[in-house]
Amino acid sequence: MRIYLPGTWPMLARLVKTGKFEPIGGTAFALTPRLREAYVAGDDEELEYAAMLEAARASLRLLAVEFGLGEDDTPARRVVVAADVDDVTLRPDLDDGAVRVTGSVPMESIAAVHVDVADAEHAVRQAAGAVDAADLGDLDAEFLVGEAEDHELAWYAPGEIAFVVELG
């Protein structure tokens, strides 16, 4: 199953260093039956994209925590790692596309990495500070999150990840 793992730049750097991606709480997103039911129309490719966007929103939440802990040097870029794994558990207690993976995800299972480009950093930093309020319905916060989500994530093959991290 293709899953989408939310991350941050330091997590991506650890992937390059260790060859494993360590998902926070085992949380990932995928095309689940519940996600399929949530959309009236859409083929598998469109629904996979929706799962990736849920992971990108979760990446904002991870960035909010890092910034809240004073990690201001962390690049304000959403990171989503796409991987193919067999062992996932559905998470009906979270978002429609939420799943849980056990343990780390090895580099061999990673299909691609999606990250924001430098031009998105201001919007992403603003959105990270507003994502919780947006989740609670604050319209101004939703606007800030929407500004970040208007930036498309760039796609990189697994062999390019080290170069992406190095060039930052």
Side-chain angles (χ1 to χ4, degrees):
M1 168 182 270
R2 174 67 49 96
I3 62 170
Y4 300 91
L5 300 145
T8 62
W9 203 264
M11 293 170 73
L12 197 58
R14 277 192 297 280
L15 166 64
V16 170
K17 186 176 181 179
T18 67
K20 298 177 193 171
F21 186 82
E22 303 288 342
I24 303 293
T27 301
F29 297 86
L31 174 49
T32 63
R34 220 171 122 194
L35 182 66
R36 189 178 301 281
E37 290 173 10
Y39 286 84
V40 177
D43 61 17
D44 284 356
E45 186 175 326
E46 291 169 316
L47 297 175
E48 291 271 348
Y49 184 72
M52 186 191 72
L53 292 179
E54 284 191 23
R57 173 76 64 110
S59 177
L60 280 177
R61 293 182 187 107
L62 294 175
L63 284 169
V65 171
E66 287 195 11
F67 297 150
L69 294 173
E71 298 293 332
D72 293 328
D73 292 340
T74 296
R77 297 185 189 186
R78 296 170 296 163
V79 172
V80 176
V81 175
D84 296 313
V85 299
D86 295 325
D87 189 24
V88 298
T89 305
L90 297 178
R91 292 285 314 265
D93 57 317
L94 294 176
D95 296 336
D96 291 334
V99 296
R100 180 183 309 278
V101 294
T102 304
S104 59
V105 177
M107 182 66 89
E108 303 80 52
S109 297
I110 294 175
V113 172
H114 307 270
V115 298
D116 278 309
V117 296
D119 289 350
E121 285 195 37
H122 177 73
V124 170
R125 187 171 295 278
Q126 297 285 321
V131 69
D132 288 337
D135 288 343
L136 296 172
D138 181 306
L139 295 178
D140 291 331
E142 285 181 30
F143 176 79
L144 291 174
V145 170
E147 288 285 310
E149 291 177 341
D150 284 345
H151 291 271
E152 288 292 325
L153 298 172
W155 178 95
Y156 297 96
E160 298 174 304
I161 298 170
F163 297 114
V164 169
V165 169
E166 184 180 324
L167 296 176

